[in-house]
Amino acid sequence: MEKDQMHFETKVMHIGHEPDPCTGSIATPIYQTSTFVFPNVDEGAARFRGEREGYIYTRLGNPTVAALERCVSALEGAEKGLAFASGMAAISALFLAILKSGDHVIADRCIYGSTYTFLAATLTRFGVEVDFVDCSDIDQVAASLKPNTRVIYFETPANPMMKMVDMEAVARLAKPRGIITVVDNTFMSPYFQRPLKWGIDVVIHSATKYLGGHGDVLGGLIVGPAELVDLVRTTAQKDVGGIMSPFDAWLILRGIKTLAVRMERHEKNAMQVAEFLEKHPAVQRVYYPGLPSHPQYAIGKKQMTGFGGMMSFELKGGFEAGRTLMNSVKLCHLAVSLGETSTLIEHPASMTHSVLTPEERQAAGISEGLVRLSVGLEHPDDIIADLQQGLAKLL
Ligand code: LCS
């Protein structure tokens, strides 16, 4: 069967997981090596010139890492992929590779804290202009365009407000102007959302989350057009060096085999938890893409095939109520990160988004009392029972 004809559930197990041609090993071997022996000087030189295929040195490419890159790029429907030590290594390398002093970036205000500070504090030191807007309002994006705009960057759904952005509308604005659109697809994974299908140029993943899926590894990926991915590989990745280790690539490849079944269950559990929270008298507001009360519910339905396992919520008692809840849960772990087997609960204002100023958080819609939940794969009744005993203390 041609690989591009396979269903998603088949691709996760067969692309990047081809039996090893040398030994028949059904599990992808971990090529735990720093360097590769050349048969002779001419071959080594040809590989360095890029004239001949073949491995040189693990910072420049490794077979286990390449297997993961093939797998994720196929899942997203992209030409090529590139793996990094973390999501932040992927994001920073992409920007370093494609921007120069004097370029302008439009980014959503509501994004992961370190992505925000990389754009707001680091890139601006090198003469890049950055405007933060609400990308779910296409008129704001259009009004921020400048002749030197090079990139439009956003997350959908966004961390932590679960705000969704109409990818097709943004791509329509960007394409004729030659602006590169970049979407962080960490929250949905390619199982529920494939941004390239809507005209987006580049997709980012923190593979630490749903792709790895088990809370035991950090990683990041960029997927997109071959020319752009090759540019990142031969510049920012080669020279800055934030590469993924072969063992970490192997762990993520192993996790990806169950991506489809995990995402289905994350979503099923999350829907039940969201419905429970929305009805609870101590809860003010729930932000979950699968609830019809979500302000961008229609956009989510259009561009996603499911709603995922992430949500956030406000309690009527504000921050103090949130503190009581987070200190009272026994099954849910009080921890950052997301998209792993166990349910995680955290407080964005003092944790994942504490690097934003209170004014920046307010502009992004992140209240001081917001609580974020990554719904895991436990039995949903147990997750709900744990939240219920914590919420009971607020009544
Ligand atoms: N993109 C998104 C949407 C993220 O949520 C994160 C990390 C990153 C990129 C960066 O990936 P990393 O370098 O950690 O692999 N988000 C985290 C969070 O919400 N809690 O802890 C980390």
Side-chain angles (χ1 to χ4, degrees):
M1 178 184 248
E2 291 300 319
K3 295 214 156 135
D4 55 1
Q5 314 257 293
M6 290 176 180
H7 290 87
F8 191 93
E9 291 80 351
T10 313
K11 284 182 181 167
V12 291
M13 273 175 281
H14 290 277
I15 303 185
H17 298 278
E18 298 80 5
D20 177 40
C22 297
T23 62
S25 165
I26 195 161
T28 302
I30 306 171
Y31 286 92
Q32 193 67 39
T33 185
S34 52
T35 197
F36 299 83
V37 177
F38 305 133
N40 54 56
V41 173
D42 289 349
E43 173 68 24
R47 288 188 199 173
F48 263 98
R49 285 196 301 270
E51 289 168 9
R52 230 167 286 155
E53 296 264 311
Y55 292 98
I56 297 175
Y57 181 64
T58 280
R59 177 158 46 75
L60 313 181
N62 173 283
T64 316
V65 178
L68 176 67
E69 292 168 343
R70 274 203 311 284
C71 177
V72 177
S73 104
L75 297 182
E76 286 284 3
E79 284 177 8
K80 250 189 176 173
L82 193 55
F84 292 84
S86 68
M88 287 319 303
I91 292 165
S92 55
L94 174 69
F95 283 123
L96 289 175
I98 62 179
L99 293 175
K100 62 179 187 317
S101 170
D103 284 344
H104 175 240
V105 174
I106 298 173
D108 200 288
R109 278 199 190 97
C110 183
I111 49 179
Y112 173 58
S114 291
T115 311
Y116 188 94
T117 51
F118 181 74
L119 288 163
T122 302
L123 278 186
T124 50
R125 276 202 292 120
F126 293 91
V128 173
E129 266 184 89
V130 185
D131 274 323
F132 292 99
V133 305
D134 176 359
C135 292
S136 68
D137 175 356
I138 197 69
D139 295 338
Q140 271 192 42
V141 181
S144 309
L145 291 170
K146 293 185 179 182
N148 57 336
T149 304
R150 178 99 174 102
V151 175
I152 302 177
Y153 186 95
F154 57 91
E155 298 170 2
T156 182
N159 187 356
M161 297 308 299
M162 309 306 299
K163 181 181 75 176
M164 288 173 278
V165 175
D166 185 337
M167 293 185 276
E168 196 176 22
V170 175
R172 207 180 300 127
L173 208 57
K175 240 197 187 116
R177 295 171 171 84
I179 299 169
I180 302 170
T181 46
V182 184
V183 165
D184 184 327
N185 196 25
T186 298
F187 272 32
M188 279 301 115
S189 90
Y191 183 65
F192 281 140
Q193 175 170 275
R194 268 159 255 161
L196 302 188
K197 192 178 129 191
W198 302 99
I200 296 299
D201 298 307
V202 182
V203 171
I204 290 281
H205 278 285
S206 166
T208 315
K209 314 294 157 44
Y210 289 106
L211 297 183
H214 293 72
D216 50 14
V217 62
L218 265 79
L221 281 117
I222 293 173
V223 303
E227 199 182 330
L228 193 143
V229 172
D230 284 339
L231 174 76
V232 182
R233 184 194 287 281
T234 54
T235 59
Q237 188 180 56
K238 175 175 80 63
D239 299 338
V240 180
I243 54 138
M244 180 179 281
S245 83
F247 180 60
D248 290 353
W250 183 85
L251 279 173
I252 297 165
L253 272 169
R254 187 182 202 265
I256 273 186
K257 287 188 187 188
T258 55
L259 183 63
V261 287
R262 283 188 286 108
M263 292 312 291
E264 286 288 341
R265 185 59 68 89
H266 279 296
E267 182 194 41
K268 190 163 167 261
N269 286 359
M271 187 58 101
Q272 288 186 40
V273 171
E275 282 169 353
F276 158 77
L277 287 173
E278 196 168 50
K279 283 195 224 105
H280 196 283
V283 176
Q284 176 89 35
R285 180 88 206 252
V286 181
Y287 303 96
Y288 178 63
L291 292 176
S293 60
H294 191 292
Q296 290 99 29
Y297 178 69
I299 293 172
K301 264 203 110 81
K302 175 186 123 179
Q303 64 192 18
M304 303 171 353
T305 53
F307 301 112
M310 292 299 299
M311 69 188 68
S312 54
F313 55 96
E314 311 268 2
L315 294 166
K316 287 183 182 151
F319 173 63
E320 278 313 315
R323 187 208 298 274
T324 304
L325 172 67
M326 287 181 276
N327 282 335
S328 304
V329 287
K330 297 186 172 77
L331 179 78
C332 305
H333 295 298
L334 176 58
V336 296
S337 201
L338 58 104
E340 64 149 285
T341 48
S342 313
T343 297
L344 306 180
I345 193 165
E346 69 112 7
H347 178 229
S350 68
M351 298 173 187
T352 47
H353 293 71
S354 60
V355 287
L356 277 69
T357 64
E359 295 72 33
E360 288 168 334
R361 275 198 297 276
Q362 198 183 8
I366 307 166
S367 79
E368 298 304 294
L370 189 80
V371 176
R372 193 188 75 181
L373 196 65
S374 169
V375 178
L377 303 179
E378 300 93 342
H379 195 289
D381 292 353
D382 296 340
I383 304 169
I384 289 170
D386 190 37
L387 291 168
Q388 188 148 33
Q389 63 81 25
L391 290 168
K393 301 194 171 151
L394 308 178
L395 297 175

